[in-house]
Every structure is written in structure tokens, then in C-alpha cells.
Amino acid sequence: MRLVLMGSALVITVAAVGVAAFGMNRLVDDLQDAAEHQAKLSQVQRQVMALSYGMTDAVERAVEGDRAAIDRHDQLSRELDDTLTELLSLSVDETGARIEQSLNAEREAYLALEDVAVAFARRGDYTRAEEMLSGEYRDLKLVYTNRLDEALDYAASIMDLELQRARSTATWLTAIGGIVLIVIAILWGLVAYDAHAQHRKLLIARRALQSHNERLERAVAERTADLESAKERAEQANRAKSEFLATMSHEIRTPLNGVIGMAGALKRTQLEDSQHKMIEVVENSGQTLLAILNDVLDLSRIESGQVELEEAPFEVDEIASAASALFTPLAQEKNLEFAITVTPAARGMWVGDALRLRQVLHNLLSNAMKFTLEGSVTGRISTSGGHMVVEVADTGIGISQDRQDAIFERFTQADNSTTRKYGGTGLGLAITRKIAKLMGGDVQLESEEGKGSTFRARLKLKRAERTADPKAAQAA
Ligand code: ADP
């Protein structure tokens, strides 16, 4: 509807401007033609008058014996012929033509007498010539002069008519233009009204949108506040849980250390074989319980974000050597080939948490040792993209494809028989992965059941600015 209104307003405006321009153009042309016609007419009229007077004068002189006047009379008579023909051509309608024709006839009549008078004068018979120019000639001349006035008046009236026509065209054009202007004004008024209504609607819609937005913002703010307080509560609960665990593990560890210590002391006294075995079970169980307690505490502290990694320089070769020294007796006991290497590029000083790095390496090595019955366990520390890669490969029992993700979950093992056969709680890998993530990396696993496994921890540790002299890091 709006488009139709605006379109028609535009079309009518353009059409009206076009028609007005065309009409005005025509009007100006008509007026110009009329003015030119008028100018021409008055010029020819003046010529006719002048020629008529000239001829009369020439004839009068001729009859008085002026021979040159006879020739002039002939000359002027020809010129008058041409000029009257021109005047006739300027008479635009039938009436004009009729007037001109009767004018010609009158002229012929008195010119005939003039010609006769001139002929007598040429022969030298001036008396007869003069006679020709009196009486009838004068009457005819008078009639002609009147007829000429009539013709001139008619020509002037034609001009008036032209002007009148132009004036009435102008009046019509003005009237039509006025009406068209009113229509255009109404149409544009409607367009403006419609635009105004549209603008109002937009304003109302915008206000509605604004208040809707404000409501939404308030709702979001409330929700955010709820979430923040919920998060706060959750963090509090988590802190409380960690504190509880820390306290509990401390509380349990103290008597447990007592139990383990006393069992050790008791083991060194004089005991029967069966008693010695029993006290060893007590001591081992105590140690296992202590390890579980430590793992649970460690995991809960990492999960509650209480662990902050240290940023200190350390030498990676020392960590490799220490681990090598720690695990070599076990490897020998199990008759496994064992070696830890540090690649030349990885040797030297790094910056990070050496304790946690050691924990990662120890967890992976202790699993490898635990789940490998024959063959080898190999540790390797290298670099990739400027980061440290800790890799432990073994030729142990391997892990089936469908359990490879699950074993990284806490308290999860490859299968139900694992605890029974190998011990453990399923916390080591969960802690290892959490530490790797804290260090900006992750742990990946490649394994084939029955053939062995390779755990690869990528740790985003930085090199220390000054690297110590690389030492021989081959340790076995
Ligand atoms: P835990 O060793 O105390 O059971 P972990 O989280 O360290 O707990 O390991 C989870 C499980 O992943 C193990 O119980 C075992 O089934 C499997 N696993 C870990 N390392 C190896 C390995 N090197 N070879 C075979 N299985 C492994």
C-alpha cells in the first residue's frame, strides 16, 4: 500500500513536471511566433503605406510633366505588387484572404486609371492625364484606402486573437497545474502521514524491545548472581571436602605410621616364622594403605585447585638418574631390561615443578614395572616443539583398545582381575593426567594387548635460560 502510494505520488509528480515543462515550452513558442508575425505584419503594413504614398506622389508629379516620376511610378507599382502579395500571405485565414483579394481588385481599378494617366503623361498629354486623376480616380483611391485600413485592422485583430489564444492556454495550464499541484500535495501528504505513522510504530517497537532487553538483562544478572553464589557454595563445599580429606588422612596417617613403625620394629625381634610372615603382611598392608591415602589426598587437592606448580630450574638428567636408581633393583628382581635415556636436545636445565615431573615419571615407570612380566621397560625424555616429552614403553600385558580411555578415570582399572593379580587402586593414571594437564599438556597411550604399552606425557615446560653443561644422561 505504502509503495503504491509513494510510487503514484512520484509518477504523478514527474508526469506533472514533464507536462508543465512541455506546456510552458509550447506557450512560449506560440507567443514567440505571434510576436514575430506581428512584427512582420507591421513592417509590411508600413511598406504598403509608404509605397502607396510614393505612387500617388509619383503619379501627381508625372501628370505635371516630371518624366522621371513616370518611371518611378512603374517601379513603385511593381514593388507594391510584391509587398501586397506578401501581406496577403500573412493573412492567415479565409476572411483575411478575401479582404486581401477585394483589396487587390480595388487597387487594380485605381491603378488602371493611374496607368492610363501615366500613359497620357508619357505621350505629353498632361491635360488628359490630369483628368484621369480626378473624379472616379479619387473615389476609387478613397475606397482602396478604406479597404487597406480594413485589411490592416483585420491583420492586427488576427494578432490579438493569437495573443488571446496564448493567454487562454496559459490560463488553462495554470488551472490544470494548480489542480495537479493540489493532487500532488495530497499524495505527498499521505506519504508523509504514512511515514510518520510508521515512525511511531518503530518507536513503540523499539521501546518494547528496549524494555524486553532490560528485563532480559535483569534476568541474566539475577541468574549470574545465582550461579556465582552456587559456584561459591560448590567451591566452599570442595574446600571443606579437601580440608576434611587432609585432616582425615593426617589423622589416619599418624596412627598408621605408628602401626607400620611398630610392625617394622616387631619384625626385627625374635619371632617364629609364622609370626614373621604375619607381621610382614601387617607392614605391607599398612604401606599400601598409606600409599592409597597419599593418592586420595593428592587427587583431591589437585581437583580442588589447591595445587600450585612450582616454577624453579632443575636438571632433567638428575631426575632421570634418580628414577633409574630407584627402579633398577625392581627391574633386576623381575629380570627385566631397564633403561632411561635423555635425548641430547632434552638434556640440561628446565624450569618447572621437578617434584611433579618426578611423580609423573615414577607413576608411569611403576605401572610399567608392575604390568611387565618379561622383556623390557624403557624410559625416554625428549623434546618436541620446545616442550618436554616423557615416554615410558614396556613389553607388558598391554591394554585392550576399548579400555584405553577408561584407565585414566579415577579408581578404574583395565579389568576386574587387575587388583587381585597386580594390586593398585586405579588412581595413579588419573593423577598423572591431571598433573600433565596442569603443566599445559596431556598423556597419550599406545597399547596392544599382550604386546606392551607406551605412555607419552607431553609437558609444556620451559627451558631454563642458562643451560648447564650437558652430562651423560644415559642411565640404566
Ligand atoms: P593402578 O595401577 O593403581 O591400578 P593406575 O591409574 O595407575 O592405577 O592404572 C589404571 C589401570 O591401567 C591399571 O589398573 C591397569 O589395568 C592399567 N595400566 C596402567 N599402566 C599399564 C601398563 N603399563 N600396562 C598395562 N596396563 C596398565
Side-chain angles (χ1 to χ4, degrees):
M1 174 63 192
R2 186 170 313 117
L3 272 181
V4 171
L5 202 64
M6 279 186 73
S8 49
L10 211 66
V11 167
I12 290 179
T13 307
V14 170
V17 169
V19 168
F22 179 73
M24 289 313 285
N25 212 19
R26 278 289 303 274
L27 193 63
V28 170
D29 279 355
D30 284 355
L31 282 171
Q32 219 163 12
D33 286 352
E36 275 169 17
H37 193 257
Q38 166 81 332
K40 185 76 192 162
L41 203 61
S42 47
Q43 186 200 350
V44 175
Q45 281 169 0
R46 274 197 303 278
Q47 266 176 341
V48 169
M49 298 296 276
L51 286 169
S52 300
Y53 289 132
M55 277 178 73
T56 309
D57 181 59
V59 167
E60 280 167 1
R61 282 174 192 275
V63 296
E64 282 166 9
D66 182 349
R67 297 203 68 83
I70 299 172
D71 294 341
R72 201 165 74 247
H73 177 268
D74 289 350
Q75 168 70 21
L76 289 173
S77 167
R78 276 195 298 281
E79 276 180 37
L80 185 65
D81 265 357
D82 293 346
T83 313
L84 282 171
T85 313
E86 197 179 349
L87 187 65
L88 191 67
S89 77
L90 289 172
S91 309
V92 287
D93 61 359
E94 273 180 28
T95 320
R98 216 170 40 245
I99 291 172
E100 291 300 333
Q101 270 165 13
S102 76
L103 186 69
N104 267 353
E106 308 295 348
R107 188 175 60 94
E108 300 269 300
Y110 91 81
L111 277 186
L113 289 177
E114 262 184 17
D115 285 347
V116 174
V118 169
F120 280 129
R122 206 172 272 131
R123 271 194 269 136
D125 189 350
Y126 298 114
T127 321
R128 298 274 301 275
E130 219 168 323
E131 272 172 25
M132 295 312 294
L133 296 184
S134 57
E136 191 190 358
Y137 172 76
R138 286 190 195 290
D139 294 344
L140 282 174
K141 186 94 191 258
L142 195 67
V143 171
Y144 169 73
T145 311
N146 288 341
R147 191 70 75 207
L148 188 63
D149 282 348
E150 198 184 320
L152 294 179
D153 284 351
Y154 183 74
S157 78
I158 290 287
M159 180 58 206
D160 279 351
L161 216 67
E162 288 279 332
L163 280 174
Q164 233 165 12
R165 229 180 22 225
R167 218 173 283 132
S168 80
T169 311
T171 313
W172 270 109
L173 270 178
T174 312
I176 293 171
I179 293 169
V180 170
L181 272 181
I182 290 169
V183 171
I184 289 171
I186 290 172
L187 277 176
W188 281 114
L190 285 175
V191 170
Y193 176 77
D194 184 60
H196 178 70
Q198 195 63 18
H199 179 67
R200 274 185 62 81
K201 263 191 223 160
L202 272 177
L203 268 184
I204 292 168
R206 194 191 292 160
R207 262 184 229 132
L209 200 69
Q210 217 167 357
S211 74
H212 184 68
N213 270 353
E214 280 166 9
R215 272 203 307 279
L216 265 181
E217 270 167 24
R218 271 201 302 278
V220 168
E222 279 166 18
R223 190 99 188 91
T224 310
D226 286 355
L227 283 175
E228 265 168 13
S229 81
K231 187 174 156 241
E232 184 62 30
R233 280 200 301 277
E235 277 171 0
Q236 253 172 10
N238 212 9
R239 274 197 297 275
K241 183 194 88 180
S242 295
E243 271 166 30
F244 171 74
L245 275 173
T247 317
M248 281 304 291
S249 63
H250 177 75
E251 294 301 321
I252 296 169
R253 249 186 304 187
T254 314
L256 191 60
N257 278 328
V259 171
I260 295 168
M262 286 302 111
L266 198 59
K267 206 168 75 175
R268 286 190 292 277
T269 59
Q270 282 287 320
L271 293 173
E272 288 177 13
D273 273 359
S274 62
Q275 284 173 325
H276 195 266
K277 275 184 189 145
M278 279 190 270
I279 205 68
E280 255 185 354
V281 170
V282 171
E283 192 183 18
N284 286 343
S285 302
Q287 294 288 6
T288 309
L289 194 55
L290 193 61
I292 293 171
L293 264 182
N294 285 339
D295 278 355
V296 168
L297 181 66
D298 206 18
L299 189 65
S300 78
R301 285 182 57 223
I302 293 174
E303 282 184 346
S304 64
Q306 285 178 3
V307 169
E308 281 209 6
L309 293 180
E310 208 180 305
E311 284 273 302
F314 65 86
E315 191 153 10
V316 74
D317 312 85
E318 276 174 13
I319 291 177
S321 306
S324 179
L326 187 69
F327 284 92
T328 299
L330 183 59
Q332 284 169 348
E333 194 183 299
K334 294 185 79 174
N335 209 13
L336 298 173
E337 277 178 46
F338 173 53
I340 301 179
T341 55
V342 180
T343 62
R347 283 178 196 163
M349 298 297 287
W350 290 76
V351 176
D353 196 325
L355 211 70
R356 291 292 177 182
L357 171 64
R358 199 169 283 143
Q359 196 178 354
V360 168
L361 184 61
H362 286 191
N363 275 353
L364 295 180
L365 283 174
S366 97
N367 275 348
M369 292 286 175
K370 185 158 64 170
F371 297 107
T372 306
L373 304 177
E374 56 182 344
S376 65
V377 170
T378 317
R380 187 170 180 268
I381 298 176
S382 60
T383 61
S384 166
H387 300 133
M388 185 185 282
V389 181
V390 176
E391 197 176 285
V392 174
D394 64 55
T395 55
I397 59 169
I399 302 143
S400 66
Q401 198 71 31
D402 59 324
R403 297 296 291 164
Q404 288 186 7
D405 282 336
I407 56 165
F408 287 97
E409 303 293 326
R410 47 195 176 167
F411 300 112
T412 309
Q413 297 182 314
D415 63 59
N416 296 334
S417 63
T418 307
T419 314
R420 188 169 22 90
K421 283 196 210 152
Y422 303 95
T425 54
L427 283 174
L429 283 180
I431 292 173
T432 304
R433 175 168 267 181
K434 296 256 182 231
I435 292 172
K437 287 201 167 164
L438 273 181
M439 289 185 178
D442 204 355
V443 184
Q444 288 166 344
L445 164 65
E446 278 168 34
S447 181
E448 206 177 317
E449 224 175 350
K451 288 202 171 164
S453 318
T454 302
F455 287 85
R456 198 172 289 115
R458 287 174 195 279
L459 310 171
K460 284 195 178 169
L461 298 178
K462 287 180 287 213
R463 295 301 305 229
E465 295 206 336
R466 276 187 315 120
T467 32
D469 286 338
K471 292 179 184 171
Q474 182 81 26

